[in-house]
Amino acid sequence: MNSALLLNYSTFGYLFASFIYVAAFLFKSNKAGLGGTFFTALTFIAQTVALGLRWQESYQIGIGHAPLTNMYESLVFFSWTIAGFYLFLEFKFKNRTIGAFALPFAFAAMAFAESGWVSQEINPLIPALQSNWLIAHVVTCFVGYAAFAVACGLGIMYLIKDFSGQKDKGLMATLPSLRTLDEINHKTMIFGFLWLTAGIITGAIWANSAWGTYWSWDPKETWSLITWFFYAAILHARFTRGWQGAVVAWLAIGGFLCVIFTYYGVNFLLSGLHSYGGG
Amino acid sequence: MIKKKNSIWMFFASVKLALFVLFVLAAASIIGTIVPQDATPQHYQQFYGSILDGIGMYSPQATAVITKISYLLSFDDMYRSWWFNGLLGLLSLNLIVCSIERLPDVWRLVVMDNHQTKIGRLQGMRNKLELASTEPAAQTAATVQPLLKSMGWATSQSTKPEGILLFSQKTPWTRLGVYVVHLSILVIFAGAAVGFYYGHKGGINLPETLSSDKVYKYGSGDEIDLGFTIKCNWFQMTRYPTGAPKEYQSELVIIDNNKEVLTKVIEVNDPLTYKGWTFYQSSFESHKKYIISVANKTTDVHERFLAPLRDAVRWKNENLLFAIKELIPTKIPMTYQYKLMVADGKGGQQLLILDDNMQGTFTRDDGNVYVFQVKEFFSTGLQAAKDPGVWLVYLGCGLMLVGLGVAFFMSHRRLWLLISEKDGKTSILIAGTANKNKPGFEREFAKINDTLTQHQSIEVQ
Ligand code: HEM
């Protein structure tokens, strides 16, 4: 068994789990939803093992480092955190409909990782990347990104329910109430904001220990700050009249677009210090 | 004195302004990620020209006008521009005024005496319970107090006309968490300002074995006096088997008042700090020359020579002649062995194959043993920074994380119990509030109910 194979299975595992969650939602079947939970948990475990194996494999080829150092590895980790965060939410709020809107993100990240667009090789670390702050930086950023992905899913749920004529009948009745969705979304975004903040801070400390400048306005740094400003604004929106509910749901989707751009867009469209573009 | 409640004051205290400033900051920051920063005028001409070209509206005049506007608005150095920093200033002002406006009320909530809460308000709280006790009021209070305490609710007691009032609260100070976050932003800005006005950033290319008491400012190249001397003993680059760079290292020595006070091998991510200055490994330069170190093992005399490839070098005192004849590639790309020819001037000569930086010996007919060592001659590229504001920035970052943690994970929870007697019956009214995480508090409240009703003297009314 090697990590590549297991990660391949994980991609299909999340695809399958997404299908089950969506089907369970559409056919209002709680039993099917249970299957979704089962497959998500199973895939999550397989992916955890795969990450461990990849770590071990990097030592076997003599360049040992945590599997968090290039585009491919970050995508795998992203998908892993989304699934983990979602499982936590499901456990906490006992509602499986969220799975239909959250798990597809875990699948999408894996699908992109395995699409052949990014190199799957384990590369040796250039000197600037040899720092424990790198691990702290990647972990914190991606926990934040995962929370924002789920918040985006929650925003979509909110809007679907809000725009449907019958909020409390039929299919829509299985979704949590608008109030609950708004509440979970807000909590998720503060949680993501906490981690994004930690991600930016660890990045700054790392830059300071490598280059003597904690902030140099490189495009990736700047985009993470743009994202941060954006979510800071969203967190305050509900303290202002007329900005609750649907507006916040739209903003949660917009915020996630900022995240995506910070993560991929910057690499492909702008140039800077960050090495993930190499994939 | 600032006159409160006037409309300008309220404008600067408003969350609406905060939303506006945050969105504008986000949008404005994008500009500097697209427009190249600190580039040459020609570069901007080209940049705007190609954009105009892309939308089919190219003309030299239009390019010139747009380039000029871009300079006027400092798009070439956006993050230092007056208007961008003005926006950051506006954010700070907004934060300060907002806090002055709200903090007194929040502070009152933190320190207030909750025994003064109007009894009528307890009835209206979202979390409310009514229990009955078979004991008189004073006895009931004595019964429930240790039960509540066992759940972390240590109560204080007061007597009201309506009966005995017990009150307990958890973590009232967490209401200040958000304000810690807001304060931390100001602290970070202050740290950045200190660094901007009192900090220095520079660099130096230091050839191996040489020293300097200056560094050179980025951009202008102005000299900055260090007040001490820094010396590079050696620089070394190691590679992975693939040939990719694995580590850059320099051994640095600090010489202060003619004394060597500090020696450290620095590498990327592990700098050296002395008297507020920090030296970072940032680059290196090869001079296409080689350092040949020779030591006479017998007499312990040693000497170092600098030589390009194939040039013969003479060590006069010892009457030795040597030259690096050739670089032999090794299995690792871009690393070499040295083919060193050594002659003793009397016809004796020998070929040494030396690994980089490894020793090899040459024995002369007269019995003298010489140890040779060869390495490439480099300059180490050091980045030097003195930033007295960093600790403030880090303090701000720490405060921000703590504040966010408090704002996210903790809440202020309050619990009142009114124990009253009426017609010989004792009743307990329990009411509570939490400022956040209301579902969590509901569960906590249910647990209080369970624990109290388990006591034989207390029952549901
Ligand atoms: C980048 C800047 C800012 C950050 C990171 C920030 C962060 C936060 C956070 C995390 C919260 C808690 C949100 C919640 O619990 O739902 C909050 C609340 C708040 N912020 Fe900010 N904030 C910023 C700027 C501002 C500004 C400029 C104002 C000025 C009006 C402001 C006013 C408030 C108010 C009134 C609250 C609600 C406080 C309460 O719950 O009593 N914030 N802020």
Side-chain angles (χ1 to χ4, degrees):
Chain A
M1 187 60 73
N2 64 22
S3 67
L5 191 64
L6 262 184
L7 288 174
N8 227 323
Y9 290 157
S10 307
T11 313
F12 289 101
Y14 287 141
L15 177 63
F16 194 55
S18 302
F19 268 126
I20 301 182
Y21 276 125
V22 172
F25 167 58
L26 292 179
F27 299 107
K28 293 186 277 179
S29 156
N30 207 23
K31 252 200 209 121
L34 204 65
T37 308
F38 175 75
F39 270 99
T40 308
L42 191 71
T43 310
F44 182 71
I45 292 168
Q47 205 183 16
T48 310
V49 173
L51 280 168
L53 278 176
R54 191 172 164 99
W55 199 335
Q56 198 188 11
E57 285 157 17
S58 78
Y59 275 94
Q60 277 160 10
I61 57 174
I63 48 178
H65 56 74
L68 298 165
T69 58
N70 60 21
M71 182 58 117
Y72 176 73
E73 291 171 338
S74 73
L75 280 165
V76 173
F77 186 69
F78 185 33
S79 137
W80 183 80
T81 15
I82 293 172
F85 186 71
Y86 165 70
L87 283 172
F88 170 76
L89 274 192
E90 185 186 302
F91 173 75
K92 192 143 186 234
F93 294 99
K94 311 273 183 264
N95 189 309
R96 294 206 167 84
T97 53
I98 301 172
F101 297 86
L103 248 264
F105 288 109
F107 163 68
M110 274 315 290
F112 185 45
E114 302 273 318
S115 67
W117 286 21
V118 288
S119 156
Q120 304 187 9
E121 233 172 291
I122 300 181
N123 306 110
L125 288 186
I126 60 164
L129 295 185
Q130 296 164 22
S131 166
N132 287 330
W133 289 111
L134 166 69
I135 312 287
H137 178 54
V138 175
V139 169
T140 46
C141 280
F142 280 93
V143 174
Y145 291 174
F148 292 143
V150 173
C152 175
L154 288 163
I156 294 171
M157 288 171 83
Y158 187 100
L159 292 174
I160 290 177
K161 182 150 181 161
D162 199 26
F163 281 124
S164 73
Q166 315 161 311
K167 292 188 179 45
D168 299 311
K169 278 205 223 96
L171 197 54
M172 290 303 130
T174 60
L175 293 179
S177 70
L178 285 182
R179 206 198 157 92
T180 309
L181 280 172
D182 191 45
E183 189 67 36
I184 304 177
N185 201 359
H186 185 77
K187 285 225 100 171
T188 305
M189 283 191 289
I190 306 192
F191 181 76
F193 190 73
L194 171 65
W195 286 93
L196 175 64
T197 306
I200 294 175
I201 291 174
T202 48
I205 297 176
W206 176 24
N208 196 40
S209 73
W211 296 290
T213 314
Y214 52 81
W215 196 261
S216 48
W217 295 105
D218 116 284
K220 192 124 182 164
E221 270 173 10
T222 308
W223 268 96
S224 69
L225 189 69
I226 291 166
T227 307
W228 191 79
F229 281 141
F230 199 90
Y231 279 102
I234 301 178
L235 292 186
H236 292 82
R238 67 172 192 166
F239 296 107
T240 315
R241 231 174 304 138
W243 279 75
Q244 285 103 339
V247 180
V248 170
W250 278 114
L251 288 173
I253 297 170
F256 189 58
L257 293 180
C258 281
V259 169
I260 301 268
F261 192 82
T262 307
Y263 183 9
Y264 306 105
V266 173
N267 297 335
F268 297 122
L269 301 175
L270 309 167
S271 61
L273 295 171
H274 280 70
S275 67
Y276 286 4
Chain B
M1 268 308 285
I2 304 158
K3 210 171 119 239
K4 277 202 172 183
K5 306 295 175 203
N6 78 26
S7 61
I8 294 175
W9 176 266
M10 291 320 284
F11 171 74
F12 283 112
S14 70
V15 180
K16 269 216 180 84
L17 178 64
L19 286 183
F20 173 77
V21 175
L22 287 169
F23 278 127
V24 171
L25 268 172
S29 302
I30 298 174
I31 298 171
T33 67
I34 297 168
V35 179
Q37 298 293 291
D38 278 327
T40 59
Q42 294 89 314
H43 198 119
Y44 287 110
Q45 294 268 356
Q46 222 170 24
F47 174 75
Y48 290 114
S50 68
I51 289 182
L52 285 173
D53 201 30
I55 53 174
M57 291 175 59
Y58 178 79
S59 80
Q61 294 87 338
T63 308
V65 169
I66 292 182
T67 307
K68 193 157 180 199
I69 292 174
S70 161
Y71 270 113
L72 266 177
L73 294 176
S74 306
F75 282 1
D76 58 304
D77 193 11
M78 215 207 78
Y79 303 107
R80 273 186 283 266
S81 69
W82 58 270
W83 62 269
F84 189 77
N85 285 285
L87 276 174
L88 293 175
L90 186 55
L91 182 72
S92 311
L93 183 68
N94 191 193
L95 269 173
I96 294 169
V97 176
C98 173
S99 301
I100 295 177
E101 182 62 30
R102 289 177 187 249
L103 207 48
D105 290 341
V106 174
W107 184 251
R108 221 164 289 136
L109 277 171
V110 173
V111 298
M112 80 194 236
D113 178 8
N114 288 282
H115 282 281
Q116 304 306 327
T117 307
K118 295 225 165 52
I119 298 300
R121 274 196 51 213
L122 302 187
Q123 289 287 358
M125 286 182 184
R126 197 160 120 193
N127 295 289
K128 200 184 67 177
L129 261 177
E130 283 185 64
L131 302 177
S133 168
T134 54
E135 292 168 337
Q139 185 62 40
T140 304
T143 303
V144 297
Q145 268 178 318
L147 289 175
L148 289 168
K149 194 157 184 209
S150 71
M151 287 181 287
W153 296 95
T155 50
S156 56
Q157 184 172 344
S158 65
T159 312
K160 302 274 143 185
E162 294 88 345
I164 298 171
L165 183 66
L166 300 181
F167 174 75
S168 179
Q169 61 183 342
K170 285 183 177 175
T171 59
W173 51 269
T174 56
R175 285 184 183 269
L176 299 173
V178 168
Y179 294 89
V180 172
V181 176
H182 289 161
L183 174 72
S184 73
I185 294 166
L186 299 175
V187 174
I188 291 172
F189 284 173
V194 168
F196 182 77
Y197 289 109
Y198 301 103
H200 296 288
K201 291 263 150 71
I204 185 171
N205 255 8
L206 203 53
E208 286 176 299
T209 74
L210 299 188
S211 55
S212 167
D213 53 7
K214 295 183 186 63
V215 290
Y216 302 90
K217 204 173 169 145
Y218 281 129
S220 67
D222 293 346
E223 287 182 359
I224 311 171
D225 267 315
L226 290 171
F228 54 85
T229 303
I230 181 155
K231 180 180 168 199
C232 172
N233 277 349
W234 48 260
F235 169 88
Q236 173 182 302
M237 172 173 49
T238 49
R239 292 178 185 277
Y240 288 104
T242 59
K246 183 175 187 177
E247 197 53 88
Y248 306 119
Q249 294 172 310
S250 304
E251 185 175 87
L252 301 182
V253 185
I254 300 285
I255 301 156
D256 200 358
N257 280 325
N258 297 318
K259 270 208 298 279
E260 291 196 1
V261 288
L262 187 60
T263 304
K264 182 177 177 182
V265 178
I266 66 161
E267 47 184 60
V268 185
N269 278 311
D270 187 16
L272 171 151
T273 302
Y274 184 72
K275 285 198 172 165
W277 279 97
T278 307
F279 298 90
Y280 302 85
Q281 181 71 65
S282 83
S283 61
F284 68 96
E285 196 183 331
S286 163
H287 295 290
K288 299 277 172 265
K289 284 185 186 168
Y290 300 87
I291 300 176
I292 306 173
S293 317
V294 200
N296 183 332
K297 255 296 205 18
T298 324
T299 59
D300 217 24
V301 192
H302 47 84
E303 192 70 70
R304 268 195 296 211
F305 303 89
L306 199 56
L309 194 60
R310 282 185 278 277
D311 275 16
V313 186
R314 180 182 296 278
W315 189 5
K316 252 205 198 122
N317 297 350
E318 302 280 328
N319 195 19
L320 275 180
L321 198 65
F322 39 84
I324 302 169
K325 289 283 183 202
E326 197 184 330
L327 303 183
I328 310 165
T330 65
K331 261 193 277 177
I332 301 176
M334 287 179 289
T335 41
Y336 302 94
Q337 289 179 315
Y338 304 99
K339 193 191 261 184
L340 185 76
M341 178 66 85
V342 187
D344 62 6
K346 294 182 194 131
Q349 70 176 39
Q350 192 184 334
L351 208 54
L352 299 176
I353 306 289
L354 299 176
D355 280 323
D356 187 49
N357 234 348
M358 299 302 271
Q359 299 184 336
T361 52
F362 168 73
T363 311
R364 208 152 60 175
D365 292 344
D366 59 12
N368 276 316
V369 178
Y370 294 92
V371 179
F372 283 84
Q373 193 169 349
V374 182
K375 83 180 281 294
E376 194 172 348
F377 177 55
F378 291 107
S379 285
T380 184
L382 301 177
Q383 193 143 308
K386 183 176 191 164
D387 188 343
V390 165
W391 70 274
L392 265 175
V393 173
Y394 284 4
L395 175 72
C397 291
L399 282 176
M400 185 178 287
L401 287 178
V402 170
L404 282 172
V406 169
F408 179 70
F409 291 108
M410 300 177 81
S411 58
H412 178 200
R413 287 151 293 165
R414 290 182 286 178
L415 189 69
W416 291 264
L417 284 87
L418 180 70
I419 305 171
S420 52
E421 282 177 37
K422 201 173 168 196
D423 308 330
K425 278 195 203 148
T426 308
S427 62
I428 312 172
L429 169 67
I430 311 176
T433 61
N435 69 331
K436 270 177 286 177
N437 189 13
K438 308 214 156 130
F441 185 65
E442 261 161 40
R443 284 193 292 275
E444 208 170 348
F445 204 74
K447 218 175 95 198
I448 293 170
N449 180 23
D450 289 348
T451 309
L452 293 187
T453 49
Q454 261 165 27
H455 194 269
Q456 79 263 11
S457 71
I458 298 173
E459 61 212 24
V460 183
Q461 210 173 31

